[in-house]
Amino acid sequence: MAYDLAGARKAILIECRKQGIDDDTRHMLIREIGKIASGSTRDMGADAARRVLNHLRRMSGEGNDWAFIDNAAADFRPLLRKICATCRSMGVGKAYAEGVAKNQHGVERRLEMMSSSELHALAGALARTQRYKEQA
C-alpha cells in the first residue's frame, strides 16, 4: 500500500492549525524536522512528511500544557498561540515561558492569568530568545 502523501500534507496543515502554529513557525518546522530547504509542504516527500507529522503528533500528546488556549478569551488567543508556537519551536514548554515572564518581567502568574500587556512583553522576550538561539 502506497503512502498517502497528499493526505499527510493536509494532516500537517490541520495539525499545525489545531496546535496554533503560525505559517512562519510551520515552515521552520518543516525545514528543521522534515529537512526540506524550502520549508514548503509542496516540496516534501514521504519520509519528510512522516517525520514532521510524527513530531507534531508527539507535541499534541496527552498532558498538553497549552490546551487552555482554546478556552481563553478570544482577544488573548492569538498572543497565547504565538507564545505557544515560539516555545514549541524552541523545544520548551509552558513552564519555561512562565519562568521567562518571572525572570525578565517580574510576573509571577501562570499564563492563563496574565494581562494582555504582560503576554505581549513575554512574546517579545521569547521571540528575542528564539532569534538569539537561531544565531548561535
Side-chain angles (χ1 to χ4, degrees):
M1 180 176 197
Y3 185 71
D4 182 13
L5 184 56
R9 289 174 177 158
K10 288 177 188 173
I12 288 169
L13 294 173
I14 291 168
E15 192 63 36
C16 285
R17 284 189 195 117
K18 189 175 10 172
Q19 293 184 30
I21 297 173
D22 63 9
D23 289 340
D24 292 336
T25 306
R26 184 184 77 239
H27 291 290
M28 184 185 69
L29 184 75
I30 291 170
R31 279 191 301 273
E32 291 181 8
I33 304 298
K35 303 196 183 338
I36 303 299
S38 70
S40 171
T41 56
R42 289 188 314 261
D43 300 331
M44 205 176 344
D47 290 335
R50 277 190 198 99
R51 282 192 302 272
V52 172
L53 198 50
N54 288 340
H55 177 78
L56 287 169
R57 288 181 175 155
R58 277 193 309 273
M59 286 175 41
S60 71
E62 290 296 315
N64 183 357
D65 289 344
W66 303 101
F68 74 94
I69 293 173
D70 294 332
N71 297 324
D75 51 335
F76 287 105
R77 282 186 215 143
L79 200 48
L80 287 168
R81 287 187 177 121
K82 173 70 174 171
I83 291 169
C84 172
T86 304
C87 286
R88 285 182 169 167
S89 72
M90 291 190 299
V92 297
K94 180 181 168 214
Y96 179 86
E98 291 170 346
V100 168
K102 179 180 178 184
N103 293 334
Q104 291 190 14
H105 301 288
V107 178
E108 296 191 34
R109 286 188 291 281
R110 295 181 3 205
L111 287 174
E112 297 94 318
M113 307 311 255
M114 290 184 193
S115 70
S116 179
S117 61
E118 291 167 340
L119 289 171
H120 192 289
L122 175 59
L126 289 170
R128 285 187 301 276
T129 301
Q130 182 183 30
R131 280 193 304 272
Y132 175 78
K133 287 185 175 190
E134 287 174 356
Q135 291 173 352

